[in-house]
Amino acid sequence: MGLLHGACHTYIGEEAVAAGVCAQLRPEDTIFSTHRGHGHALAKGVPMRELIAELFGRQTGCSRGRGGSMHLFSPEVGLMGTSGIVGPSILQATGAAYAQKLLKTDRVSAAFFGDGAVSNGAFHEGLNLAAIYQLPVLLVCENNLYATEVAFNYSTRNPEVGSRGEGYGMPGVAVDGNDVLAVYQAAEEAVKRARSGGGPTLIECKTYRTRPHNEGMRDYGYRTKEEVEEWKARDPIATFQTKLVDDGVVTEDELEKIDREIQAEAEEAFEFAKQSPWPDPDTATAFIFSQDGVETDEPPSAADGPAAREINFMEATLEALAGEMKKNPTIFVFGEGVGERGGNFNTTVGLYDLYGTERLCDTPISERGFTGVSTGAAMAGARPVIDFMFWDFALDTLGEILNQIAKVQYMSSGRLKMPILLRGCIGVGHSAATHHSGNYYPLFVHIPGLRVVMPS
């Protein structure tokens, strides 16, 4: 009918995973999802009419028409975003869990990702960081056997994703992803562990999408029709209905009544979405930057601070950071050596003694990982400061900066802020050659959503 614009990756055949996991979560718990996120959205509580309106690109959609099928945001119910990029959900859910640890809550977060993400660096870096910080996060792999059209057993020598948990120092389990009770029970144990401080769990749900990777793409050639039909016979909704009737929990008439109610809700949502207005073109550039605070070109007056004195840039940034950390307990610093050592250039010296390891947190050498984790932490209410040491190292995380940090506020129509500071030294005179002397601000000033500051 021409109502969906762009790609649409359906969740048909995998519904037991979203239902089983989200049934164990509270409204205030958060989830982060993928391009195949419709089921997660519904299971977490996004109203059906808001979901379909977003698929149609309408103003009444859960992302206010900015997301379409792949980019769903509803922080009001804990859906913090679905990403068209493979892997960020792992890092961002881990970051949200870090924020909850910092804020001393018992909330948990969950990342949904496919088998294709297991071959991505975000999987390794995210699981490693979740484990070493013992974070309250569920890492849920929906292993549907194919990443786009590449068979999982081709792209790895270890197709048992659940077994990989042990290598990172966390429990790893594998369940039948088409059995909603098996998923529910695995999630129950993982949530209890997370809430009690026991750390993360990797859950592999073996399931199958019975539609093409994306609507309009071919469905056979990389898999057989017989294989698809075999999995259709294991449809998680139909098999659960049969079990409920066989066990005497409900009657077929009661299930048919539920089906009619769902059908009526879907039809009403469809009509609502069709009649909903398009977003106002005048708002196309809204929410690229936060409107909080006041900008001015006027220099501060003498009354704004202490008497004039001369210090270097590092001393100035340390003073600023120390003052803000004293006022705001949600600020924390990530980086290599920023803890007890005080930073490579004394950028955090003395702060570890005041605030400890959760707010002055040393990281492994995994720039993409800890930047993505910081992104999720910012979405969940913390204020991260990322210390890259040398700005060259930020290039390892360009995708997280450009596709996530710069765009989250825009894609969520301003409902999610991105109060995150990324900093590093440039052009230092240490004779360190080209990999430690880069000055890349001309690149970053061209990225909408970023504010670039270079003292000189």
Side-chain angles (χ1 to χ4, degrees):
M1 297 174 68
L3 290 169
L4 269 72
H5 305 271
C8 181
H9 305 78
T10 61
Y11 197 65
I12 296 169
E14 304 182 19
E15 296 90 348
V17 182
V21 172
C22 291
Q24 292 289 0
L25 301 178
R26 301 172 183 166
E28 65 269 22
D29 294 329
T30 53
I31 68 170
F32 298 77
S33 178
T34 73
H35 52 277
R36 199 177 304 283
H38 310 158
H40 309 129
L42 290 171
K44 194 60 175 70
V46 176
M48 195 185 300
R49 50 167 41 196
E50 290 187 19
L51 174 63
I52 297 181
E54 190 58 45
L55 297 182
F56 293 178
R58 305 305 172 96
Q59 170 65 33
T60 55
C62 60
S63 301
R64 310 299 185 253
R66 280 188 163 82
S69 176
M70 288 193 288
H71 311 109
L72 308 173
F73 288 83
S74 188
E76 297 83 3
V77 297
L79 175 65
M80 306 302 279
T82 68
S83 176
I85 307 296
V86 171
S89 62
I90 301 170
L91 302 174
Q92 291 171 8
T94 300
Y98 194 91
Q100 300 316 320
K101 182 177 180 179
L102 182 71
L103 299 171
K104 309 303 181 189
T105 78
D106 70 344
R107 297 179 181 180
V108 305
S109 63
F112 294 96
F113 54 95
D115 49 280
V118 174
S119 301
N120 192 283
F123 176 83
H124 165 71
E125 295 186 38
L127 265 66
N128 190 49
L129 289 165
I132 62 176
Y133 302 138
Q134 283 293 280
L135 299 178
V137 59
L138 279 65
L139 302 154
V140 184
C141 175
E142 296 175 323
N143 184 353
N144 61 34
L145 307 184
Y146 296 94
T148 308
E149 297 184 358
V150 177
F152 187 51
N153 62 9
Y154 164 82
S155 61
T156 180
R157 293 298 296 273
N158 177 15
E160 301 299 325
V161 177
S163 71
R164 303 187 189 197
E166 183 179 0
Y168 294 96
M170 69 174 70
V173 298
V175 299
D176 180 353
N178 282 22
D179 181 345
V180 68
L181 293 180
V183 177
Y184 181 82
Q185 290 162 3
E188 180 179 34
E189 185 174 338
V191 168
K192 285 180 180 178
R193 180 181 300 111
R195 292 202 202 281
S196 64
T201 303
L202 173 63
I203 304 174
E204 177 191 8
C205 300
K206 298 183 178 184
T207 183
Y208 198 85
R209 52 173 171 81
T210 54
R211 297 289 300 173
H213 167 69
N214 170 43
E215 293 303 304
M217 291 181 65
R218 67 173 186 163
D219 205 11
Y220 307 116
Y222 66 97
R223 60 183 187 176
T224 66
K225 184 176 181 179
E226 290 73 22
E227 180 181 290
V228 175
E229 293 301 319
E230 178 185 341
W231 278 92
K232 283 182 178 180
R234 298 172 56 188
D235 179 86
I237 297 174
T239 55
F240 189 52
Q241 288 177 326
T242 299
K243 178 176 174 56
L244 290 173
V245 173
D246 290 347
D247 291 351
V249 178
V250 295
T251 66
E252 289 187 1
D253 288 344
E254 288 172 318
L255 288 178
E256 289 175 2
K257 181 175 182 292
I258 293 172
D259 284 341
R260 288 194 299 271
E261 291 172 353
I262 294 170
Q263 183 67 25
E265 183 180 354
E267 290 174 358
E268 188 278 332
F270 177 73
E271 292 300 324
F272 168 81
K274 279 202 304 181
Q275 300 303 321
S276 292
W278 296 102
D280 184 347
D282 290 340
T283 67
T285 58
F287 308 118
I288 295 175
F289 293 102
S290 175
Q291 300 306 306
D292 296 342
V294 178
E295 294 186 43
T296 177
D297 292 329
E298 294 296 320
S301 68
D304 290 334
R309 58 199 171 94
E310 187 173 296
I311 59 176
N312 67 34
F313 290 138
M314 282 295 99
E315 292 168 330
T317 57
L318 176 58
E319 281 192 17
L321 179 61
E324 291 301 308
M325 290 190 75
K326 184 176 181 179
K327 291 188 294 185
N328 190 339
T330 69
I331 295 175
F332 71 94
V333 185
F334 259 179
E336 294 143 14
V338 299
E340 195 168 5
R341 188 159 68 90
N344 205 49
F345 301 107
N346 292 330
T347 50
T348 56
V349 68
L351 297 179
Y352 180 86
D353 294 334
L354 294 173
Y355 301 115
T357 187
E358 285 186 7
R359 295 187 65 193
L360 275 299
C361 186
D362 284 325
T363 65
I365 300 175
S366 57
E367 274 74 13
R368 182 190 179 185
F370 63 71
T371 301
V373 167
S374 299
T375 305
M379 295 165 76
R383 289 179 175 263
V385 176
I386 307 302
D387 192 313
F388 284 117
M389 195 182 301
F390 295 94
W391 193 246
D392 308 71
F393 303 165
L395 299 184
D396 280 358
T397 189
L398 188 60
E400 299 302 321
I401 296 173
L402 194 159
N403 267 322
Q404 307 301 327
I405 290 173
K407 296 179 181 178
V408 161
Q409 181 170 269
Y410 179 80
M411 291 193 297
S412 67
S413 292
R415 290 173 294 162
L416 288 173
K417 305 297 184 183
M418 193 44 59
I420 185 170
L421 171 65
L422 307 111
R423 70 180 193 182
C425 291
I426 60 173
V428 292
H430 282 216
S431 300
T434 58
H435 287 170
H436 290 70
S437 306
N439 189 359
Y440 300 102
Y441 73 88
L443 168 66
F444 288 91
V445 297
H446 288 284
I447 299 174
L450 300 182
R451 299 182 189 274
V452 179
V453 179
M454 192 176 78
S456 63

